[in-house]
Structures are given as C-alpha cells and as structure tokens.
Amino acid sequence: MRGAARTVAAVLCALALSLCLPATARADSAGGGDLHVAQTLGDRELTFVLRRVTGLPGPLHVDVLTHRGTPAGALRLGAVPAGVAADRAAGAPVGTVTSKASVRLGDEPGTYGTVLDIDRAGPWELVVEDGSRTARIPFVVPGQVTSPPERTVFAGFVAAGVLMLVTLFVAVRARRGSWVLLPASGVVAALATAVTAALLSASLPPPPEPGRDVDATQDNVADPYAVVRPVSAEHSRPPASLETAAYTARPGERGTLRLDVNDGSTGLPADDLVVHDGALMHLVVIGPTGRLWHLHPVRTAPGTYEVQLRLPASGHYAVSAEFARRGGGLQHVRSATGLTVTGRPAPQEGSGKGPDRDAAGTDTAPESELAARGTGTRTIDGVPVRLTASTLTAGSAATLTARVGDTATLQPWLGMVGHMIVVGPLSEDDATGPTRLGQAAEQAPVWAHAHSMGGDMSRDMSAHTGGDTGAGHDAETAHGEEDHAGHGTADPPDTEPGGHGEGAGSMSGLMPLNGDSPADETVAAYGPDVSFVYTFSRPGHYRVWIQAMRDSTVLTIPYVLNVSSGGSGGGEE
C-alpha cells in the first residue's frame, strides 16, 4: 500500500508540473486589429474602420472617418455573407443582405458610426451605397478555432484525470499493490502525450490564413485545420494586369474611370485583392500640369474598380495602381495607355468661391505654378512647409525631411504619417512645363511610393523594399518601378543631423502592439517633421509629391528636385 501511495504522489507531482507548461495559443485570427479601408466614393474620400467581431453572433461596429470638405449626406450600409460552403444549407443566404443600417455624415470632419449584425464566421462583404454608386468591401469574420495539438493536449489531460481516479480506486480496493501500476501507467502515458503535443505545437506552422494567404470559404474559416493541413507552403499567384476603360468626361466635368484587374495567367477577373496600407487599391493619376491625385477606387464587382474624377485640364494623364493580391504580394502596375481628356472645359462647380477641391482635399490650381524648385519653405493651404534634404546624388541614399506646420498635430493617413511619390528622371522642360508632364510621367523609368513611418527617421530605423515593415519599430518603406519592371530603392539612412527639428518625435502609439489596432486618423499627435529616405537611381529632374494629413485635410506638397550624377548636390535649384 505504501508503494501505491508513492506512485499516486508521483503521478500528482507530474500532473502539477505539466499544468505549469504554457498552453498552446489558439489559432484565432480574430486576435488581429481592426480593418481600415480607404474609399473614394463619389466626391468623398472616406475611411471605413471595421471593428473586430469578438463573439458570434455579435455586432460589427463600423466607423466612417471623414475629412475636411467632405459633403454631408447619408450612406446605406449592409452586411452580405459571401464565399462557398460544402453544406448548401449553410451557404443559403450567400449574396443576400442579412443586416442593414444607415449612417449620416455631417459637415464637420469626424467619426460617424453604426452597427451591423454578424451571425456566422466566414467571408463577408460590406456594401456601401451613397445613392449613385455601390462599393463592396470584402472582409473575413474568423471563428474560434482549436488546433489539433491543442485538442491533443486537452484530451491527454482529461484522460490523465480519469485514469488518476481509477488509480486511486484501485489503490484503495485492490489487495495487491501491483494492480495500481496498470492505471498509473496510463496516467503517465496520457501526460506524456499531452506534454509532447504542447512542446511540439510551437514548431508546427499554422495553416494558411483564409482571406490573407488563401481564398476564404465558409468551411476553411470555420476550421482551417479541417480543410488545409498545417504545413509550410508558398501560396504565390501570378501578377495581374490593369486595364482602363474609356474615359469620356470633358475637362472640369465629373467622369467615372473604370479599372479592370485581371489574372495574368488566366485572363479572368482577379477578385483576390487584399487591404494593403489601408486600401484595396491605391490609384495615382498625374495630369499634364503636374497635378497629382492619390485616390482609392471602390470595388463594384469581382475584379472591377471605379473612381469618379473631375480632371480640370485637357491633355494626357498617366495612371498607375498599387495593390496586393492574396498570396501574391505587392504589385505596382502602370496603365499602358493612361487616359486623354479632350473637349471644351465644363463649368466649374464652386467658381468664385475659392479653389475647388478634389476628394483628397487638394486644390485645383495647376501644379506647374505651385511646384517649388528645390528645397526651402512654402505655404500649402495656409500651412507653412519647409523641405530640407541631404546631398541629392544618384546612387546614394538621400534623406528628405518636410516640416509640416510647427506643432506635432499630424494625423496618420492610410496608416502612415507621410507619403512620398517620386517620378523621373525627366527633362527640365518636362519637369517644369505646364502641359506635358502627364505624357512624360507615363514614359518615365522610375515611379516610387515611399512611406515615412516615424518622426525622426535618422534614428532607430530599418528599411524594406517592396513591402510592409514589421510592427513595433520605426521604419520606412518604398515600393515602385525601375524601368517598368523592378522596384524603387529604399536604403537605411545615414545619421543626418540636418533637417530634423525639436518637434521630431517617435512612432510610439502608431504601430499596433499585441494585436491592438494602430492609431487612426482621429489621432493628431505626430510630426511636425516627416522624413523619407530614398535612393535616386539616376541623375536628372524628378517630380516629388509629399502628402501628410493635418486638421483632417490631406496636404499634397509638390517639388521639382534635381539629382546630380556625382560631386556637388543638386538639392537647390
């Protein structure tokens, strides 16, 4: 009997030690942050924030963030389940609006919210109607999933608990102590299985995440382990092509630009774009006068995106789009044809009432008249902006810092404090001319889109080319085209004492931590310094646009920079 007691004591100690081991984390993608999606809907530049759903059935809180100058009005929202399911009964309501709500936008910039009901895990679409156009924003509501190793751990502990009771019963009732060894051996085996599963689970890769790595269905969202084995694999997809439909609007008249995104290997619509840098698609349009639009077309059908434009001048416009395919990575695609606007100008709305403004909040004055040649101080929409730069030499990393205003009141836009779009090299006549920049930009070998993600970019920064940076540290990203095929370059900056004022701050609070959501556009606590590090690969003149948001207005600050081939810098004209 004493031997049996010692055996039971050993089993209890083993169980106590096993309970101290860390449990396997749940394979629950709902632990991520909220989804931020920018949309250019008619004359409105809006940001939709879909708060994560924490329980099913449960509410989906949708916030609509507006900017200064956004027209007031009502939006109708609806939640539509999407995807396919092996069980036809489970997928019966697919394509049908299951919950409706409306939100009324006010005249002042701010947050306007509403709530929709979600009753299942799986792929969904948020349908947004403004009375003339319908946008469809895809999103995924994850389910609470227990991984196979975790189920094994739980089963092992349960079996050990049951066998322990059996061991105690046998120890009390059996006349021979050796009988206790049978259930006690089962307890040890169950504990060994549970502990082994707990230790090995950390080295097992999770299955591809539906909606990010693979196409989401109701089945693989509800239980990704039951559909796809948790093995390591590359889920790559071919590049996509961008086609623009005919644009028939006259100068100054509102027109609709339709964009078709097709799979490069099949020619079928590519309906697998994922939210990247706060939007499904980033559209950049450069006009003949040097005016730049940075817009976010709405998804109206699989592979089809539309945006409304009011192009003020006749001439040729260069068009490019930036998007990420599910499992296919980031792509920066230029339209092979762009678009040409002809005809007599239409009457301008708001004539005599100050400058007209587009959806991004910039004025309609010709950029050729506004673009500063070289660095220095200028005023944009009443905000003083000073640009400083290190030596601008081809092949060497340059640090450009724009001080926007004089207080730390910049707001994140598309998840970043600042954006910089670079086009060139161009001839001096094309870079400064009033009518040919659109055509020249379409043929320029370099297009790049760089992000400033910190206040003082000269310290504690790493850089990546062609993708996002990791969370939790200051960084800068650049992605673009080199000779229509490669990527723009972004290099870690040298320590640059010049160009950074006392207002330069850290990125504390902007990047998400522990699954929390990043700061949205309502937080005005960054800057005033916005820094970028970029390597100009060739000498010549470049058109550079820096964008930052202040007072709920997106400021677009254009420059003409001359990059030298070596020797003395070309930062000043």
Side-chain angles (χ1 to χ4, degrees):
M1 296 298 293
R2 292 181 179 178
R6 287 194 293 267
T7 302
V8 172
V11 170
L12 290 174
C13 292
L15 181 59
L17 291 174
S18 66
L19 292 176
C20 295
L21 294 174
T24 307
R26 288 184 177 270
D28 179 20
S29 57
D34 305 329
L35 181 65
H36 297 239
V37 187
Q39 296 277 268
T40 305
L41 189 61
D43 290 331
R44 299 184 177 101
E45 178 69 20
L46 306 172
T47 299
F48 291 85
V49 183
L50 283 65
R51 307 297 180 184
R52 56 184 177 184
V53 178
T54 57
L56 292 172
L60 170 66
H61 295 270
V62 180
D63 290 336
V64 183
L65 308 183
T66 64
H67 304 116
R68 191 163 302 282
T70 299
L75 300 178
R76 295 189 299 273
L77 279 63
V80 179
V84 296
D87 185 359
R88 292 188 177 183
V94 168
T96 303
V97 178
T98 59
S99 178
K100 297 181 180 180
S102 62
V103 57
R104 185 153 201 82
L105 307 180
D107 294 320
E108 293 298 321
T111 302
Y112 303 88
T114 189
V115 179
L116 296 168
D117 295 325
I118 300 295
D119 60 358
R120 70 175 68 177
W124 287 75
E125 287 184 352
L126 176 67
V127 179
V128 183
E129 299 179 4
D130 66 349
S132 61
R133 195 162 305 278
T134 300
R136 311 183 76 90
I137 303 174
F139 66 99
V140 176
V141 177
Q144 298 289 335
V145 182
T146 303
S147 66
E150 190 173 9
R151 289 195 292 265
T152 302
V153 172
F154 291 158
F157 285 151
V158 170
V162 173
L163 290 173
M164 183 181 299
L165 295 177
V166 175
T167 302
L168 293 174
F169 179 81
V170 173
V172 173
R173 300 300 300 269
R175 295 182 179 179
R176 297 178 59 184
S178 58
W179 288 104
V180 179
L181 296 177
L182 293 177
S185 300
V187 173
V188 174
L191 289 176
T193 301
V195 172
T196 302
L199 295 176
L200 294 180
S201 62
S203 62
L204 294 177
E209 183 177 338
R212 187 185 67 179
D213 301 322
V214 295
D215 294 331
T217 65
Q218 295 185 30
D219 297 328
N220 65 17
V221 171
D223 190 357
Y225 292 96
V227 179
V228 181
R229 290 183 179 179
V231 296
S232 176
E234 181 182 359
H235 312 282
S236 61
R237 291 187 174 176
S241 62
L242 178 72
E243 299 178 9
T244 57
Y247 184 83
T248 58
R250 296 182 297 164
E253 182 180 55
R254 180 193 294 180
T256 299
L257 175 62
R258 196 186 79 184
L259 305 157
D260 293 318
V261 182
N262 298 320
D263 183 84
S265 62
T266 64
L268 297 174
D271 194 31
D272 56 1
L273 272 59
V274 296
V275 175
H276 168 75
D277 290 342
L280 289 169
M281 177 184 291
H282 298 265
L283 183 72
V284 172
V285 179
I286 300 176
T289 64
R291 170 78 177 278
L292 177 136
W293 290 261
H294 180 179
L295 305 173
H296 307 96
V298 299
R299 174 178 171 270
T300 58
T304 301
Y305 294 79
E306 293 183 359
V307 65
Q308 290 189 330
L309 293 168
R310 196 186 303 273
L311 303 177
S314 60
H316 191 76
Y317 291 75
V319 178
S320 76
E322 183 181 295
F323 52 80
R325 296 191 67 183
R326 184 173 300 122
L330 175 67
Q331 291 184 238
H332 188 181
V333 184
R334 272 195 257 180
S335 169
T337 59
L339 58 93
T340 301
V341 178
T342 59
R344 300 182 61 183
Q348 291 290 321
E349 296 181 9
S351 178
K353 301 180 181 179
D356 295 331
R357 308 185 69 82
D358 68 355
T362 53
D363 58 45
T364 59
E367 291 289 320
S368 58
E369 301 175 5
L370 297 176
R373 301 186 65 172
T375 58
T377 303
R378 57 180 314 186
T379 300
I380 298 292
D381 281 356
V383 180
V385 180
R386 174 175 175 78
L387 178 68
T388 58
S390 60
T391 301
L392 300 179
T393 304
S396 299
T399 302
L400 294 87
T401 300
R403 166 158 282 206
V404 184
D406 54 6
T407 59
T409 55
L410 296 183
Q411 300 162 270
W413 185 49
L414 306 174
M416 314 291 173
V417 174
H419 300 256
M420 183 175 71
I421 296 172
V422 179
V423 173
L426 308 167
S427 68
E428 185 174 3
D429 291 340
D430 288 338
T432 59
T435 60
R436 335 188 271 197
L437 186 58
Q439 187 68 51
E442 184 172 292
Q443 300 172 359
V446 175
W447 281 53
H449 179 184
H451 294 153
S452 173
M453 297 178 66
D456 187 347
M457 298 300 292
S458 66
R459 297 191 300 270
D460 190 24
M461 193 197 87
S462 63
H464 297 257
T465 300
D468 284 328
T469 61
H473 59 280
D474 295 355
E476 182 266 356
T477 62
H479 29 84
E481 293 185 7
E482 175 72 24
D483 295 330
H484 299 269
H487 295 281
T489 58
D491 298 297
D494 299 326
T495 300
E496 182 63 43
H500 300 286
E502 295 178 358
S506 69
M507 278 297 294
S508 176
L510 182 60
M511 298 304 297
L513 297 174
N514 299 324
D516 294 332
S517 298
D520 59 32
E521 300 170 13
T522 62
V523 179
Y526 303 101
D529 287 351
V530 183
S531 298
F532 306 87
V533 176
Y534 184 75
T535 300
F536 295 90
S537 59
R538 306 178 181 199
H541 289 80
Y542 287 81
R543 289 301 296 259
V544 175
W545 295 265
I546 293 176
Q547 293 187 302
M549 184 155 66
R550 187 175 187 268
D551 194 23
S552 297
T553 300
V554 178
L555 303 175
T556 301
I557 309 123
Y559 293 95
V560 178
L561 300 180
N562 184 23
V563 178
S564 66
S565 57
S568 60
E572 301 288 344
E573 295 281 342

